[in-house]
Amino acid sequence: MTGKKWFSIFIILFLCALVMIGGLVAFVDPFFHYRSPRDYFYYRLVDQRSQNDGITRQFDYDAIITGTSMAENFRTSQFDELFGTDSVKVVYSGATYKEINDNLKASYASGHNVRYVFRTIDYSLLLEDKDAMRTDMGDYPVWLTNKNPFDDVKYLLNRDVIINYTLPAVAGFFLGKEPGITSFDEYSYTGDENEFSRAVVLMRSTLFDEPEQIYEASNDDILTVTANVDQNIVALAKEHPETTFIYFFPPYSMAYWGDVRQEGNLERYLELVKIAAYLMTECDNIHVYCFGFQTDITGNLDLYRDVAHFSPEVNEIIESEIADIENNGLNVDKWRLRITEENIDSYFADLLEMLESYDYKSLL
């Protein structure tokens, strides 16, 4: 046989192998790009940016828990029990408002009827540009989120997808592993991976000295926040009045606010948060919550792993407290948890006074 024939045979066999490998990935479909999970494989949920789009488009649900790492330790089982839903958790650690909103839009575009969206609104991301994406975390898998079938090759012939997802699913089938998926209580859960303690928090904090200069929100700040909130929070709620959007500012610790105060940014930040809250409360189907007054949580640094990230115990409290108000109404005892058009001015005036006068040195 001539060298030319050997080369031709090699190319044909190589192409056949690629087709078989790509076909196997498409059949198992560990990122749910083409379909919902097959009944005879076990699917491991571990890659937020690669698997969330498929979960959002292909799974059956009527409620979504989403947000940044602040939402990773929520339990869908608790949410479903409190709200009578069938929810999924699709969180994006470190994500911008646009990334989260784009995923929510995919839910409606794929025909889902969503009763609730339960979402964190991080203070630290308010001043991001409305179109900002986290490109610093590696290539964003647009080949999974767009509608271009030709770049699916980046999924079908991806070494990581083949070795770490597809082959283990196939091996599990032949070894008799129980089919299913990672539970949404476990998906993205990080509670067991971190130490929550005052000592750890204070390692990354300041001495909470008095600010040398006080800053106010600039016109550019206000325009940035307004554009970000309008595009990535409010617009979707206006398009879908059938959905209740439960949005909340997470309980960052008092160490966080002590740092912000020392930098001279306390009034500036609260003014921008207030603007965001104004924009959201204009929509009847957006319910805005804030845990800034809950100093029994925010002042207990043993509940935190840094100045912002809190323990799963706090996630349980947040779900429970919000569900109580959603199901039973806002009573006198809990008026400082929900921000409304009626209380927004007094709410932020009182919050600024509390955060300004708090004894941050007591945290040390």
Side-chain angles (χ1 to χ4, degrees), residues 348-359:
F348 281 99
D350 291 346
L351 184 58
L352 175 61
E353 181 180 355
M354 188 271 287
L355 292 175
E356 183 63 51
S357 60
Y358 189 83
D359 181 13

mmCIF file with all atom_site columns, all heavy atoms in Angstrom, residues 348-359:
data_model
loop_
_atom_site.group_PDB
_atom_site.id
_atom_site.type_symbol
_atom_site.label_atom_id
_atom_site.label_alt_id
_atom_site.label_comp_id
_atom_site.label_asym_id
_atom_site.label_entity_id
_atom_site.label_seq_id
_atom_site.pdbx_PDB_ins_code
_atom_site.Cartn_x
_atom_site.Cartn_y
_atom_site.Cartn_z
_atom_site.occupancy
_atom_site.B_iso_or_equiv
_atom_site.pdbx_formal_charge
_atom_site.auth_seq_id
_atom_site.auth_comp_id
_atom_site.auth_asym_id
_atom_site.auth_atom_id
_atom_site.pdbx_PDB_model_num
ATOM 1   N N   . PHE A 1 348 ? -33.522 54.753 54.086 1.00 0.00 ? 348 PHE A N   1
ATOM 2   C CA  . PHE A 1 348 ? -32.110 55.035 53.839 1.00 0.00 ? 348 PHE A CA  1
ATOM 3   C C   . PHE A 1 348 ? -31.566 56.131 54.743 1.00 0.00 ? 348 PHE A C   1
ATOM 4   O O   . PHE A 1 348 ? -30.371 56.141 55.058 1.00 0.00 ? 348 PHE A O   1
ATOM 5   C CB  . PHE A 1 348 ? -31.892 55.361 52.367 1.00 0.00 ? 348 PHE A CB  1
ATOM 6   C CG  . PHE A 1 348 ? -31.843 54.130 51.507 1.00 0.00 ? 348 PHE A CG  1
ATOM 7   C CD1 . PHE A 1 348 ? -32.961 53.711 50.796 1.00 0.00 ? 348 PHE A CD1 1
ATOM 8   C CD2 . PHE A 1 348 ? -30.692 53.367 51.438 1.00 0.00 ? 348 PHE A CD2 1
ATOM 9   C CE1 . PHE A 1 348 ? -32.917 52.569 50.023 1.00 0.00 ? 348 PHE A CE1 1
ATOM 10  C CE2 . PHE A 1 348 ? -30.644 52.213 50.664 1.00 0.00 ? 348 PHE A CE2 1
ATOM 11  C CZ  . PHE A 1 348 ? -31.757 51.810 49.957 1.00 0.00 ? 348 PHE A CZ  1
ATOM 12  N N   . ALA A 1 349 ? -32.426 57.036 55.192 1.00 0.00 ? 349 ALA A N   1
ATOM 13  C CA  . ALA A 1 349 ? -31.977 58.022 56.169 1.00 0.00 ? 349 ALA A CA  1
ATOM 14  C C   . ALA A 1 349 ? -31.608 57.332 57.480 1.00 0.00 ? 349 ALA A C   1
ATOM 15  O O   . ALA A 1 349 ? -30.559 57.614 58.085 1.00 0.00 ? 349 ALA A O   1
ATOM 16  C CB  . ALA A 1 349 ? -33.069 59.064 56.401 1.00 0.00 ? 349 ALA A CB  1
ATOM 17  N N   . ASP A 1 350 ? -32.445 56.397 57.914 1.00 0.00 ? 350 ASP A N   1
ATOM 18  C CA  . ASP A 1 350 ? -32.168 55.662 59.151 1.00 0.00 ? 350 ASP A CA  1
ATOM 19  C C   . ASP A 1 350 ? -30.966 54.731 58.987 1.00 0.00 ? 350 ASP A C   1
ATOM 20  O O   . ASP A 1 350 ? -30.173 54.563 59.912 1.00 0.00 ? 350 ASP A O   1
ATOM 21  C CB  . ASP A 1 350 ? -33.397 54.848 59.562 1.00 0.00 ? 350 ASP A CB  1
ATOM 22  C CG  . ASP A 1 350 ? -34.553 55.714 60.017 1.00 0.00 ? 350 ASP A CG  1
ATOM 23  O OD1 . ASP A 1 350 ? -34.321 56.924 60.264 1.00 0.00 ? 350 ASP A OD1 1
ATOM 24  O OD2 . ASP A 1 350 ? -35.679 55.193 60.125 1.00 0.00 ? 350 ASP A OD2 1
ATOM 25  N N   . LEU A 1 351 ? -30.850 54.118 57.797 1.00 0.00 ? 351 LEU A N   1
ATOM 26  C CA  . LEU A 1 351 ? -29.730 53.205 57.567 1.00 0.00 ? 351 LEU A CA  1
ATOM 27  C C   . LEU A 1 351 ? -28.403 53.965 57.581 1.00 0.00 ? 351 LEU A C   1
ATOM 28  O O   . LEU A 1 351 ? -27.420 53.499 58.164 1.00 0.00 ? 351 LEU A O   1
ATOM 29  C CB  . LEU A 1 351 ? -29.907 52.485 56.230 1.00 0.00 ? 351 LEU A CB  1
ATOM 30  C CG  . LEU A 1 351 ? -28.858 51.421 55.889 1.00 0.00 ? 351 LEU A CG  1
ATOM 31  C CD1 . LEU A 1 351 ? -28.801 50.322 56.948 1.00 0.00 ? 351 LEU A CD1 1
ATOM 32  C CD2 . LEU A 1 351 ? -29.130 50.816 54.506 1.00 0.00 ? 351 LEU A CD2 1
ATOM 33  N N   . LEU A 1 352 ? -28.368 55.138 56.967 1.00 0.00 ? 352 LEU A N   1
ATOM 34  C CA  . LEU A 1 352 ? -27.148 55.946 56.987 1.00 0.00 ? 352 LEU A CA  1
ATOM 35  C C   . LEU A 1 352 ? -26.793 56.340 58.405 1.00 0.00 ? 352 LEU A C   1
ATOM 36  O O   . LEU A 1 352 ? -25.627 56.258 58.819 1.00 0.00 ? 352 LEU A O   1
ATOM 37  C CB  . LEU A 1 352 ? -27.335 57.199 56.124 1.00 0.00 ? 352 LEU A CB  1
ATOM 38  C CG  . LEU A 1 352 ? -26.179 58.197 56.148 1.00 0.00 ? 352 LEU A CG  1
ATOM 39  C CD1 . LEU A 1 352 ? -24.892 57.560 55.636 1.00 0.00 ? 352 LEU A CD1 1
ATOM 40  C CD2 . LEU A 1 352 ? -26.531 59.441 55.321 1.00 0.00 ? 352 LEU A CD2 1
ATOM 41  N N   . GLU A 1 353 ? -27.786 56.740 59.173 1.00 0.00 ? 353 GLU A N   1
ATOM 42  C CA  . GLU A 1 353 ? -27.523 57.128 60.568 1.00 0.00 ? 353 GLU A CA  1
ATOM 43  C C   . GLU A 1 353 ? -26.983 55.941 61.364 1.00 0.00 ? 353 GLU A C   1
ATOM 44  O O   . GLU A 1 353 ? -26.029 56.081 62.150 1.00 0.00 ? 353 GLU A O   1
ATOM 45  C CB  . GLU A 1 353 ? -28.815 57.646 61.214 1.00 0.00 ? 353 GLU A CB  1
ATOM 46  C CG  . GLU A 1 353 ? -28.636 58.091 62.657 1.00 0.00 ? 353 GLU A CG  1
ATOM 47  C CD  . GLU A 1 353 ? -29.922 58.590 63.286 1.00 0.00 ? 353 GLU A CD  1
ATOM 48  O OE1 . GLU A 1 353 ? -30.948 58.680 62.569 1.00 0.00 ? 353 GLU A OE1 1
ATOM 49  O OE2 . GLU A 1 353 ? -29.915 58.882 64.499 1.00 0.00 ? 353 GLU A OE2 1
ATOM 50  N N   . MET A 1 354 ? -27.563 54.770 61.174 1.00 0.00 ? 354 MET A N   1
ATOM 51  C CA  . MET A 1 354 ? -27.114 53.601 61.914 1.00 0.00 ? 354 MET A CA  1
ATOM 52  C C   . MET A 1 354 ? -25.691 53.208 61.536 1.00 0.00 ? 354 MET A C   1
ATOM 53  O O   . MET A 1 354 ? -24.838 52.938 62.380 1.00 0.00 ? 354 MET A O   1
ATOM 54  C CB  . MET A 1 354 ? -28.079 52.439 61.652 1.00 0.00 ? 354 MET A CB  1
ATOM 55  C CG  . MET A 1 354 ? -27.818 51.206 62.540 1.00 0.00 ? 354 MET A CG  1
ATOM 56  S SD  . MET A 1 354 ? -26.619 50.048 61.817 1.00 0.00 ? 354 MET A SD  1
ATOM 57  C CE  . MET A 1 354 ? -27.601 49.330 60.517 1.00 0.00 ? 354 MET A CE  1
ATOM 58  N N   . LEU A 1 355 ? -25.408 53.198 60.232 1.00 0.00 ? 355 LEU A N   1
ATOM 59  C CA  . LEU A 1 355 ? -24.080 52.805 59.771 1.00 0.00 ? 355 LEU A CA  1
ATOM 60  C C   . LEU A 1 355 ? -23.024 53.858 60.103 1.00 0.00 ? 355 LEU A C   1
ATOM 61  O O   . LEU A 1 355 ? -21.853 53.521 60.298 1.00 0.00 ? 355 LEU A O   1
ATOM 62  C CB  . LEU A 1 355 ? -24.104 52.547 58.260 1.00 0.00 ? 355 LEU A CB  1
ATOM 63  C CG  . LEU A 1 355 ? -24.911 51.334 57.786 1.00 0.00 ? 355 LEU A CG  1
ATOM 64  C CD1 . LEU A 1 355 ? -24.946 51.267 56.253 1.00 0.00 ? 355 LEU A CD1 1
ATOM 65  C CD2 . LEU A 1 355 ? -24.340 50.039 58.360 1.00 0.00 ? 355 LEU A CD2 1
ATOM 66  N N   . GLU A 1 356 ? -23.427 55.096 60.177 1.00 0.00 ? 356 GLU A N   1
ATOM 67  C CA  . GLU A 1 356 ? -22.482 56.158 60.526 1.00 0.00 ? 356 GLU A CA  1
ATOM 68  C C   . GLU A 1 356 ? -22.112 56.123 61.998 1.00 0.00 ? 356 GLU A C   1
ATOM 69  O O   . GLU A 1 356 ? -20.965 56.382 62.381 1.00 0.00 ? 356 GLU A O   1
ATOM 70  C CB  . GLU A 1 356 ? -23.091 57.523 60.171 1.00 0.00 ? 356 GLU A CB  1
ATOM 71  C CG  . GLU A 1 356 ? -22.169 58.711 60.419 1.00 0.00 ? 356 GLU A CG  1
ATOM 72  C CD  . GLU A 1 356 ? -20.916 58.670 59.564 1.00 0.00 ? 356 GLU A CD  1
ATOM 73  O OE1 . GLU A 1 356 ? -21.040 58.500 58.338 1.00 0.00 ? 356 GLU A OE1 1
ATOM 74  O OE2 . GLU A 1 356 ? -19.811 58.797 60.140 1.00 0.00 ? 356 GLU A OE2 1
ATOM 75  N N   . SER A 1 357 ? -23.063 55.770 62.837 1.00 0.00 ? 357 SER A N   1
ATOM 76  C CA  . SER A 1 357 ? -22.836 55.831 64.285 1.00 0.00 ? 357 SER A CA  1
ATOM 77  C C   . SER A 1 357 ? -22.408 54.486 64.903 1.00 0.00 ? 357 SER A C   1
ATOM 78  O O   . SER A 1 357 ? -22.107 54.426 66.096 1.00 0.00 ? 357 SER A O   1
ATOM 79  C CB  . SER A 1 357 ? -24.109 56.314 64.987 1.00 0.00 ? 357 SER A CB  1
ATOM 80  O OG  . SER A 1 357 ? -25.187 55.420 64.738 1.00 0.00 ? 357 SER A OG  1
ATOM 81  N N   . TYR A 1 358 ? -22.390 53.437 64.101 1.00 0.00 ? 358 TYR A N   1
ATOM 82  C CA  . TYR A 1 358 ? -22.060 52.120 64.638 1.00 0.00 ? 358 TYR A CA  1
ATOM 83  C C   . TYR A 1 358 ? -20.640 52.101 65.208 1.00 0.00 ? 358 TYR A C   1
ATOM 84  O O   . TYR A 1 358 ? -19.715 52.734 64.670 1.00 0.00 ? 358 TYR A O   1
ATOM 85  C CB  . TYR A 1 358 ? -22.191 51.070 63.523 1.00 0.00 ? 358 TYR A CB  1
ATOM 86  C CG  . TYR A 1 358 ? -22.075 49.645 64.022 1.00 0.00 ? 358 TYR A CG  1
ATOM 87  C CD1 . TYR A 1 358 ? -23.150 48.970 64.565 1.00 0.00 ? 358 TYR A CD1 1
ATOM 88  C CD2 . TYR A 1 358 ? -20.851 48.959 63.925 1.00 0.00 ? 358 TYR A CD2 1
ATOM 89  C CE1 . TYR A 1 358 ? -23.048 47.665 65.002 1.00 0.00 ? 358 TYR A CE1 1
ATOM 90  C CE2 . TYR A 1 358 ? -20.727 47.650 64.362 1.00 0.00 ? 358 TYR A CE2 1
ATOM 91  C CZ  . TYR A 1 358 ? -21.837 47.008 64.910 1.00 0.00 ? 358 TYR A CZ  1
ATOM 92  O OH  . TYR A 1 358 ? -21.715 45.714 65.347 1.00 0.00 ? 358 TYR A OH  1
ATOM 93  N N   . ASP A 1 359 ? -20.455 51.369 66.293 1.00 0.00 ? 359 ASP A N   1
ATOM 94  C CA  . ASP A 1 359 ? -19.146 51.265 66.942 1.00 0.00 ? 359 ASP A CA  1
ATOM 95  C C   . ASP A 1 359 ? -18.332 50.163 66.265 1.00 0.00 ? 359 ASP A C   1
ATOM 96  O O   . ASP A 1 359 ? -18.301 49.016 66.707 1.00 0.00 ? 359 ASP A O   1
ATOM 97  C CB  . ASP A 1 359 ? -19.325 50.959 68.427 1.00 0.00 ? 359 ASP A CB  1
ATOM 98  C CG  . ASP A 1 359 ? -17.978 50.872 69.161 1.00 0.00 ? 359 ASP A CG  1
ATOM 99  O OD1 . ASP A 1 359 ? -16.952 51.280 68.573 1.00 0.00 ? 359 ASP A OD1 1
ATOM 100 O OD2 . ASP A 1 359 ? -17.966 50.407 70.324 1.00 0.00 ? 359 ASP A OD2 1
#
